[in-house]
PDB file of all heavy atoms in Angstrom:
ATOM      1  N   PHE A   1     -87.726 246.320  83.280  1.00 89.00           N
ATOM      2  CA  PHE A   1     -89.060 246.210  83.875  1.00 89.00           C
ATOM      3  C   PHE A   1     -89.904 245.133  83.210  1.00 89.00           C
ATOM      4  O   PHE A   1     -90.570 244.346  83.878  1.00 89.00           O
ATOM      5  CB  PHE A   1     -89.789 247.565  83.770  1.00 89.00           C
ATOM      6  CG  PHE A   1     -89.127 248.669  84.533  1.00 89.00           C
ATOM      7  CD1 PHE A   1     -88.316 249.587  83.878  1.00 89.00           C
ATOM      8  CD2 PHE A   1     -89.304 248.795  85.904  1.00 89.00           C
ATOM      9  CE1 PHE A   1     -87.703 250.611  84.570  1.00 89.00           C
ATOM     10  CE2 PHE A   1     -88.697 249.821  86.607  1.00 89.00           C
ATOM     11  CZ  PHE A   1     -87.887 250.732  85.953  1.00 89.00           C
ATOM     12  N   ASP A   2     -89.889 245.118  81.875  1.00 90.00           N
ATOM     13  CA  ASP A   2     -90.732 244.152  81.161  1.00 90.00           C
ATOM     14  C   ASP A   2     -90.235 243.993  79.722  1.00 90.00           C
ATOM     15  O   ASP A   2     -89.249 244.599  79.319  1.00 90.00           O
ATOM     16  CB  ASP A   2     -92.194 244.599  81.177  1.00 90.00           C
ATOM     17  CG  ASP A   2     -92.374 246.022  80.661  1.00 90.00           C
ATOM     18  OD1 ASP A   2     -91.420 246.533  80.037  1.00 90.00           O
ATOM     19  OD2 ASP A   2     -93.435 246.616  80.878  1.00 90.00           O
ATOM     20  N   THR A   3     -90.949 243.181  78.964  1.00 93.00           N
ATOM     21  CA  THR A   3     -90.639 242.950  77.551  1.00 93.00           C
ATOM     22  C   THR A   3     -91.864 243.264  76.719  1.00 93.00           C
ATOM     23  O   THR A   3     -92.931 242.657  76.905  1.00 93.00           O
ATOM     24  CB  THR A   3     -90.197 241.498  77.309  1.00 93.00           C
ATOM     25  OG1 THR A   3     -88.997 241.228  78.049  1.00 93.00           O
ATOM     26  CG2 THR A   3     -89.936 241.249  75.829  1.00 93.00           C
ATOM     27  N   LEU A   4     -91.730 244.236  75.815  1.00 94.00           N
ATOM     28  CA  LEU A   4     -92.824 244.602  74.923  1.00 94.00           C
ATOM     29  C   LEU A   4     -92.683 243.818  73.617  1.00 94.00           C
ATOM     30  O   LEU A   4     -91.587 243.704  73.071  1.00 94.00           O
ATOM     31  CB  LEU A   4     -92.799 246.103  74.639  1.00 94.00           C
ATOM     32  CG  LEU A   4     -92.745 247.010  75.873  1.00 94.00           C
ATOM     33  CD1 LEU A   4     -92.690 248.472  75.440  1.00 94.00           C
ATOM     34  CD2 LEU A   4     -93.943 246.768  76.778  1.00 94.00           C
ATOM     35  N   LYS A   5     -93.809 243.287  73.122  1.00 95.00           N
ATOM     36  CA  LYS A   5     -93.760 242.417  71.951  1.00 95.00           C
ATOM     37  C   LYS A   5     -94.596 242.980  70.807  1.00 95.00           C
ATOM     38  O   LYS A   5     -95.638 243.593  71.025  1.00 95.00           O
ATOM     39  CB  LYS A   5     -94.264 241.017  72.317  1.00 95.00           C
ATOM     40  CG  LYS A   5     -93.408 240.303  73.353  1.00 95.00           C
ATOM     41  CD  LYS A   5     -93.938 238.916  73.647  1.00 95.00           C
ATOM     42  CE  LYS A   5     -93.079 238.192  74.679  1.00 95.00           C
ATOM     43  NZ  LYS A   5     -93.584 236.827  74.968  1.00 95.00           N
ATOM     44  N   LEU A   6     -94.094 242.763  69.592  1.00 95.00           N
ATOM     45  CA  LEU A   6     -94.786 243.180  68.377  1.00 95.00           C
ATOM     46  C   LEU A   6     -94.600 242.086  67.339  1.00 95.00           C
ATOM     47  O   LEU A   6     -93.471 241.696  67.024  1.00 95.00           O
ATOM     48  CB  LEU A   6     -94.207 244.502  67.857  1.00 95.00           C
ATOM     49  CG  LEU A   6     -94.799 245.063  66.566  1.00 95.00           C
ATOM     50  CD1 LEU A   6     -96.262 245.440  66.770  1.00 95.00           C
ATOM     51  CD2 LEU A   6     -94.007 246.280  66.107  1.00 95.00           C
ATOM     52  N   ASP A   7     -95.704 241.587  66.802  1.00 95.00           N
ATOM     53  CA  ASP A   7     -95.647 240.511  65.804  1.00 95.00           C
ATOM     54  C   ASP A   7     -95.821 241.080  64.400  1.00 95.00           C
ATOM     55  O   ASP A   7     -96.864 241.675  64.080  1.00 95.00           O
ATOM     56  CB  ASP A   7     -96.728 239.470  66.083  1.00 95.00           C
ATOM     57  CG  ASP A   7     -96.467 238.692  67.358  1.00 95.00           C
ATOM     58  OD1 ASP A   7     -95.287 238.429  67.656  1.00 95.00           O
ATOM     59  OD2 ASP A   7     -97.439 238.360  68.067  1.00 95.00           O
ATOM     60  N   LEU A   8     -94.795 240.911  63.574  1.00 96.00           N
ATOM     61  CA  LEU A   8     -94.823 241.376  62.187  1.00 96.00           C
ATOM     62  C   LEU A   8     -94.972 240.187  61.249  1.00 96.00           C
ATOM     63  O   LEU A   8     -94.653 239.044  61.603  1.00 96.00           O
ATOM     64  CB  LEU A   8     -93.544 242.133  61.845  1.00 96.00           C
ATOM     65  CG  LEU A   8     -93.147 243.290  62.758  1.00 96.00           C
ATOM     66  CD1 LEU A   8     -91.831 243.888  62.280  1.00 96.00           C
ATOM     67  CD2 LEU A   8     -94.233 244.343  62.804  1.00 96.00           C
ATOM     68  N   GLU A   9     -95.426 240.480  60.032  1.00 96.00           N
ATOM     69  CA  GLU A   9     -95.488 239.468  58.991  1.00 96.00           C
ATOM     70  C   GLU A   9     -94.812 240.003  57.724  1.00 96.00           C
ATOM     71  O   GLU A   9     -95.040 241.155  57.334  1.00 96.00           O
ATOM     72  CB  GLU A   9     -96.933 239.102  58.651  1.00 96.00           C
ATOM     73  CG  GLU A   9     -97.579 238.168  59.663  1.00 96.00           C
ATOM     74  CD  GLU A   9     -98.944 237.703  59.196  1.00 96.00           C
ATOM     75  OE1 GLU A   9     -99.434 238.219  58.172  1.00 96.00           O
ATOM     76  OE2 GLU A   9     -99.496 236.809  59.853  1.00 96.00           O
ATOM     77  N   ALA A  10     -93.991 239.163  57.120  1.00 96.00           N
ATOM     78  CA  ALA A  10     -93.356 239.490  55.841  1.00 96.00           C
ATOM     79  C   ALA A  10     -93.852 238.496  54.799  1.00 96.00           C
ATOM     80  O   ALA A  10     -93.600 237.292  54.914  1.00 96.00           O
ATOM     81  CB  ALA A  10     -91.836 239.434  55.957  1.00 96.00           C
ATOM     82  N   VAL A  11     -94.554 238.997  53.817  1.00 96.00           N
ATOM     83  CA  VAL A  11     -95.082 238.139  52.753  1.00 96.00           C
ATOM     84  C   VAL A  11     -94.139 238.230  51.558  1.00 96.00           C
ATOM     85  O   VAL A  11     -94.066 239.253  50.878  1.00 96.00           O
ATOM     86  CB  VAL A  11     -96.504 238.555  52.351  1.00 96.00           C
ATOM     87  CG1 VAL A  11     -97.049 237.616  51.268  1.00 96.00           C
ATOM     88  CG2 VAL A  11     -97.428 238.551  53.563  1.00 96.00           C
ATOM     89  N   VAL A  12     -93.408 237.179  51.324  1.00 95.00           N
ATOM     90  CA  VAL A  12     -92.433 237.138  50.222  1.00 95.00           C
ATOM     91  C   VAL A  12     -93.148 236.686  48.952  1.00 95.00           C
ATOM     92  O   VAL A  12     -93.710 235.598  48.896  1.00 95.00           O
ATOM     93  CB  VAL A  12     -91.268 236.191  50.555  1.00 95.00           C
ATOM     94  CG1 VAL A  12     -90.296 236.117  49.382  1.00 95.00           C
ATOM     95  CG2 VAL A  12     -90.552 236.661  51.812  1.00 95.00           C
ATOM     96  N   ARG A  13     -93.140 237.543  47.943  1.00 91.00           N
ATOM     97  CA  ARG A  13     -93.838 237.238  46.694  1.00 91.00           C
ATOM     98  C   ARG A  13     -92.947 236.538  45.669  1.00 91.00           C
ATOM     99  O   ARG A  13     -93.429 235.927  44.727  1.00 91.00           O
ATOM    100  CB  ARG A  13     -94.374 238.536  46.077  1.00 91.00           C
ATOM    101  CG  ARG A  13     -95.490 239.167  46.875  1.00 91.00           C
ATOM    102  CD  ARG A  13     -96.198 240.237  46.070  1.00 91.00           C
ATOM    103  NE  ARG A  13     -95.433 241.471  45.978  1.00 91.00           N
ATOM    104  CZ  ARG A  13     -94.966 241.972  44.854  1.00 91.00           C
ATOM    105  NH1 ARG A  13     -95.139 241.334  43.721  1.00 91.00           N
ATOM    106  NH2 ARG A  13     -94.295 243.109  44.837  1.00 91.00           N
ATOM    107  N   GLY A  14     -91.640 236.642  45.815  1.00 90.00           N
ATOM    108  CA  GLY A  14     -90.721 236.085  44.829  1.00 90.00           C
ATOM    109  C   GLY A  14     -89.595 237.067  44.586  1.00 90.00           C
ATOM    110  O   GLY A  14     -89.263 237.872  45.460  1.00 90.00           O
ATOM    111  N   SER A  15     -89.013 237.037  43.377  1.00 90.00           N
ATOM    112  CA  SER A  15     -87.867 237.916  43.096  1.00 90.00           C
ATOM    113  C   SER A  15     -87.948 238.462  41.678  1.00 90.00           C
ATOM    114  O   SER A  15     -88.466 237.823  40.762  1.00 90.00           O
ATOM    115  CB  SER A  15     -86.554 237.148  43.272  1.00 90.00           C
ATOM    116  OG  SER A  15     -86.478 236.073  42.348  1.00 90.00           O
ATOM    117  N   TYR A  16     -87.416 239.688  41.519  1.00 91.00           N
ATOM    118  CA  TYR A  16     -87.229 240.287  40.205  1.00 91.00           C
ATOM    119  C   TYR A  16     -85.760 240.160  39.820  1.00 91.00           C
ATOM    120  O   TYR A  16     -84.879 240.494  40.616  1.00 91.00           O
ATOM    121  CB  TYR A  16     -87.588 241.770  40.220  1.00 91.00           C
ATOM    122  CG  TYR A  16     -89.065 242.061  40.390  1.00 91.00           C
ATOM    123  CD1 TYR A  16     -89.541 242.621  41.574  1.00 91.00           C
ATOM    124  CD2 TYR A  16     -89.974 241.795  39.377  1.00 91.00           C
ATOM    125  CE1 TYR A  16     -90.889 242.916  41.738  1.00 91.00           C
ATOM    126  CE2 TYR A  16     -91.321 242.079  39.523  1.00 91.00           C
ATOM    127  CZ  TYR A  16     -91.773 242.636  40.709  1.00 91.00           C
ATOM    128  OH  TYR A  16     -93.099 242.917  40.860  1.00 91.00           O
ATOM    129  N   ALA A  17     -85.483 239.688  38.616  1.00 92.00           N
ATOM    130  CA  ALA A  17     -84.101 239.595  38.136  1.00 92.00           C
ATOM    131  C   ALA A  17     -84.105 239.543  36.614  1.00 92.00           C
ATOM    132  O   ALA A  17     -84.921 238.836  36.011  1.00 92.00           O
ATOM    133  CB  ALA A  17     -83.396 238.365  38.706  1.00 92.00           C
ATOM    134  N   VAL A  18     -83.210 240.296  35.991  1.00 95.00           N
ATOM    135  CA  VAL A  18     -83.111 240.326  34.537  1.00 95.00           C
ATOM    136  C   VAL A  18     -81.644 240.212  34.142  1.00 95.00           C
ATOM    137  O   VAL A  18     -80.752 240.703  34.849  1.00 95.00           O
ATOM    138  CB  VAL A  18     -83.740 241.611  33.968  1.00 95.00           C
ATOM    139  CG1 VAL A  18     -83.023 242.850  34.477  1.00 95.00           C
ATOM    140  CG2 VAL A  18     -83.760 241.595  32.446  1.00 95.00           C
ATOM    141  N   GLU A  19     -81.390 239.562  33.026  1.00 96.00           N
ATOM    142  CA  GLU A  19     -80.024 239.374  32.531  1.00 96.00           C
ATOM    143  C   GLU A  19     -79.978 239.733  31.055  1.00 96.00           C
ATOM    144  O   GLU A  19     -80.862 239.351  30.277  1.00 96.00           O
ATOM    145  CB  GLU A  19     -79.576 237.936  32.732  1.00 96.00           C
ATOM    146  CG  GLU A  19     -78.155 237.665  32.230  1.00 96.00           C
ATOM    147  CD  GLU A  19     -77.751 236.206  32.342  1.00 96.00           C
ATOM    148  OE1 GLU A  19     -78.611 235.380  32.709  1.00 96.00           O
ATOM    149  OE2 GLU A  19     -76.584 235.882  32.044  1.00 96.00           O
ATOM    150  N   LEU A  20     -78.930 240.475  30.665  1.00 96.00           N
ATOM    151  CA  LEU A  20     -78.703 240.833  29.265  1.00 96.00           C
ATOM    152  C   LEU A  20     -77.383 240.231  28.822  1.00 96.00           C
ATOM    153  O   LEU A  20     -76.338 240.484  29.429  1.00 96.00           O
ATOM    154  CB  LEU A  20     -78.671 242.349  29.103  1.00 96.00           C
ATOM    155  CG  LEU A  20     -78.457 242.886  27.680  1.00 96.00           C
ATOM    156  CD1 LEU A  20     -79.628 242.493  26.783  1.00 96.00           C
ATOM    157  CD2 LEU A  20     -78.288 244.395  27.691  1.00 96.00           C
ATOM    158  N   THR A  21     -77.416 239.431  27.768  1.00 95.00           N
ATOM    159  CA  THR A  21     -76.205 238.771  27.300  1.00 95.00           C
ATOM    160  C   THR A  21     -76.347 238.494  25.802  1.00 95.00           C
ATOM    161  O   THR A  21     -77.255 238.996  25.148  1.00 95.00           O
ATOM    162  CB  THR A  21     -75.966 237.465  28.088  1.00 95.00           C
ATOM    163  OG1 THR A  21     -74.717 236.886  27.696  1.00 95.00           O
ATOM    164  CG2 THR A  21     -77.078 236.475  27.882  1.00 95.00           C
ATOM    165  N   THR A  22     -75.423 237.708  25.264  1.00 94.00           N
ATOM    166  CA  THR A  22     -75.496 237.262  23.874  1.00 94.00           C
ATOM    167  C   THR A  22     -75.819 235.773  23.853  1.00 94.00           C
ATOM    168  O   THR A  22     -75.644 235.091  24.864  1.00 94.00           O
ATOM    169  CB  THR A  22     -74.165 237.520  23.144  1.00 94.00           C
ATOM    170  OG1 THR A  22     -73.128 236.744  23.781  1.00 94.00           O
ATOM    171  CG2 THR A  22     -73.790 238.994  23.189  1.00 94.00           C
ATOM    172  N   PRO A  23     -76.280 235.234  22.727  1.00 94.00           N
ATOM    173  CA  PRO A  23     -76.623 233.804  22.680  1.00 94.00           C
ATOM    174  C   PRO A  23     -75.461 232.888  23.051  1.00 94.00           C
ATOM    175  O   PRO A  23     -75.660 231.821  23.628  1.00 94.00           O
ATOM    176  CB  PRO A  23     -77.046 233.598  21.218  1.00 94.00           C
ATOM    177  CG  PRO A  23     -77.519 234.944  20.772  1.00 94.00           C
ATOM    178  CD  PRO A  23     -76.640 235.929  21.475  1.00 94.00           C
ATOM    179  N   THR A  24     -74.233 233.288  22.723  1.00 92.00           N
ATOM    180  CA  THR A  24     -73.065 232.458  23.010  1.00 92.00           C
ATOM    181  C   THR A  24     -72.336 232.885  24.282  1.00 92.00           C
ATOM    182  O   THR A  24     -71.435 232.189  24.739  1.00 92.00           O
ATOM    183  CB  THR A  24     -72.074 232.508  21.837  1.00 92.00           C
ATOM    184  OG1 THR A  24     -71.606 233.854  21.672  1.00 92.00           O
ATOM    185  CG2 THR A  24     -72.733 232.029  20.555  1.00 92.00           C
ATOM    186  N   GLY A  25     -72.700 234.049  24.813  1.00 92.00           N
ATOM    187  CA  GLY A  25     -71.984 234.580  25.967  1.00 92.00           C
ATOM    188  C   GLY A  25     -70.766 235.395  25.588  1.00 92.00           C
ATOM    189  O   GLY A  25     -70.119 236.000  26.453  1.00 92.00           O
ATOM    190  N   ARG A  26     -70.445 235.438  24.296  1.00 92.00           N
ATOM    191  CA  ARG A  26     -69.294 236.205  23.832  1.00 92.00           C
ATOM    192  C   ARG A  26     -69.629 237.692  23.810  1.00 92.00           C
ATOM    193  O   ARG A  26     -70.667 238.093  23.280  1.00 92.00           O
ATOM    194  CB  ARG A  26     -68.884 235.753  22.434  1.00 92.00           C
ATOM    195  CG  ARG A  26     -67.669 236.478  21.877  1.00 92.00           C
ATOM    196  CD  ARG A  26     -67.404 236.049  20.450  1.00 92.00           C
ATOM    197  NE  ARG A  26     -66.301 236.815  19.851  1.00 92.00           N
ATOM    198  CZ  ARG A  26     -65.975 236.754  18.563  1.00 92.00           C
ATOM    199  NH1 ARG A  26     -66.651 235.957  17.741  1.00 92.00           N
ATOM    200  NH2 ARG A  26     -64.978 237.467  18.108  1.00 92.00           N
ATOM    201  N   LEU A  27     -68.742 238.514  24.366  1.00 93.00           N
ATOM    202  CA  LEU A  27     -68.979 239.951  24.464  1.00 93.00           C
ATOM    203  C   LEU A  27     -67.908 240.751  23.732  1.00 93.00           C
ATOM    204  O   LEU A  27     -67.406 241.758  24.222  1.00 93.00           O
ATOM    205  CB  LEU A  27     -69.051 240.368  25.938  1.00 93.00           C
ATOM    206  CG  LEU A  27     -70.204 239.755  26.742  1.00 93.00           C
ATOM    207  CD1 LEU A  27     -70.096 240.127  28.203  1.00 93.00           C
ATOM    208  CD2 LEU A  27     -71.559 240.188  26.177  1.00 93.00           C
TER     209      LEU A  27
END
């Protein structure tokens, strides 16, 4: 019959990321 429309907005703030390692990378 018809097309219903809805306009959304996504506000991307950036990303969270953490890394745990050693200074040389040796584990």
Side-chain angles (χ1 to χ4, degrees):
F1 297 100
D2 53 15
T3 298
L4 308 179
K5 297 181 180 180
L6 179 65
D7 292 325
L8 307 178
E9 282 187 352
V11 182
V12 178
R13 292 194 284 116
S15 62
Y16 291 110
V18 61
E19 180 184 6
L20 181 64
T21 185
T22 63
T24 62
R26 181 185 175 189
L27 297 174

